[in-house]
């Protein structure tokens, strides 16, 4: 009897001790904290820019606003900036990387605006169809509700 009483008294202390050990492991006490090396990142990001610049020379400057012409180059550029930021123990995106990417955007895509978008109506056949379908469906639903409300024997 005395042994079981002693176990009951020590059980909460043992549980607290085990819980503390588990929390230390889950909190990542043993993980090393890496600080962002901003100077290394700023040193490496221009390499990505130079590579992107070389790839963009292959694209006619009149097509720089057409994303389909250079999407693979831009994807490689994005992955490069992310990789270099991660290699410098920095998260991505971060304000320094964003400032660099914005500079690239200003250099290549500053003339890509959508101010001159010309909107046109669809052909009359399509326009009439798009208008009539919801009108007919609405009328059909109203007729169905009225018909069902007059036939109360169906609902019972």
């Amino acid at each position: 009897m005395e042994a079981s009483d002693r176990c009951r008294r020590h059980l909460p202390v043992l549980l607290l001790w085990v819980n503390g050990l588990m929390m230390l492991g889950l909190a990542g006490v043993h993980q090393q904290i890496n600080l962002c090396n901003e100077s290394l990142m700023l040193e490496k990001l221009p390499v990505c820019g130079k590579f992107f610049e070389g790839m963009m020379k292959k694209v006619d400057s009149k097509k720089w606003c057409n994303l389909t012409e250079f999407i693979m180059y831009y994807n490689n550029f994005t992955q490069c900036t992310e990789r270099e930021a991660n290699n410098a123990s920095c998260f991505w995106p971060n304000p320094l990387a964003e400032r660099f990417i914005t500079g690239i955007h200003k250099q290549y895509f500053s003339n890509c605006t959508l101010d001159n978008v010309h909107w046109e109506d669809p052909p009359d056949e399509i326009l009439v169809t798009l208008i009539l379908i919801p009108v007919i469906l609405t009328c059909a639903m109203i007729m169905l509700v009225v018909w069902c409300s007059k036939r109360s024997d169906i609902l019972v």
Side-chain angles (χ1 to χ4, degrees):
M1 204 61 153
E2 225 174 87
S4 64
D5 286 339
R6 194 176 331 148
C7 286
R8 278 189 220 154
R9 279 185 283 167
H10 294 301
L11 185 63
V13 174
L14 179 66
L15 288 175
L16 282 173
W17 183 72
V18 169
N19 186 34
L21 287 177
M22 289 176 60
M23 291 307 289
L24 284 175
L26 293 176
V29 169
H30 302 293
Q31 293 178 353
Q32 183 180 358
I33 297 173
N34 292 330
L35 297 176
C36 176
N37 188 345
E38 292 177 350
S39 59
L40 177 64
M41 182 183 65
L42 289 175
E43 181 183 315
K44 296 292 184 176
L45 285 181
V47 174
C48 301
K50 292 291 184 194
F51 180 75
F52 182 69
E53 184 179 331
M55 292 294 109
M56 286 300 283
K57 286 181 181 176
K58 297 178 182 179
V59 179
D60 183 20
S61 62
K62 295 174 185 171
K63 297 181 179 181
W64 281 359
C65 294
N66 185 358
L67 188 60
T68 57
E69 295 289 330
F70 62 88
I71 188 68
M72 291 301 296
Y73 306 145
Y74 192 80
N75 182 44
N76 291 339
F77 168 70
T78 305
Q79 288 177 351
C80 180
T81 57
E82 183 175 2
R83 182 177 53 251
E84 294 303 336
N86 289 334
N87 286 345
S89 300
C90 300
F91 62 91
W92 189 91
N94 61 58
L96 293 175
E98 285 179 0
R99 203 172 305 130
F100 177 76
I101 293 169
T102 302
I104 294 291
H105 278 235
K106 286 179 182 175
Q107 181 179 351
Y108 289 99
F109 313 122
S110 61
N111 294 329
C112 300
T113 59
L114 298 176
D115 292 340
N116 57 357
V117 174
H118 180 67
W119 296 98
E120 292 183 18
D121 287 336
D124 286 344
E125 300 83 27
I126 294 174
L127 191 61
V128 169
T129 305
L130 290 173
I131 292 171
L132 286 180
I133 288 175
V135 170
I136 292 171
L137 284 174
T138 303
C139 291
M141 292 303 292
I142 291 171
M143 289 173 40
L144 183 65
V145 168
V146 169
W147 182 71
C148 285
S149 66
K150 288 184 178 182
R151 303 230 10 202
S152 60
D153 59 328
I154 295 175
L155 299 175
V156 178

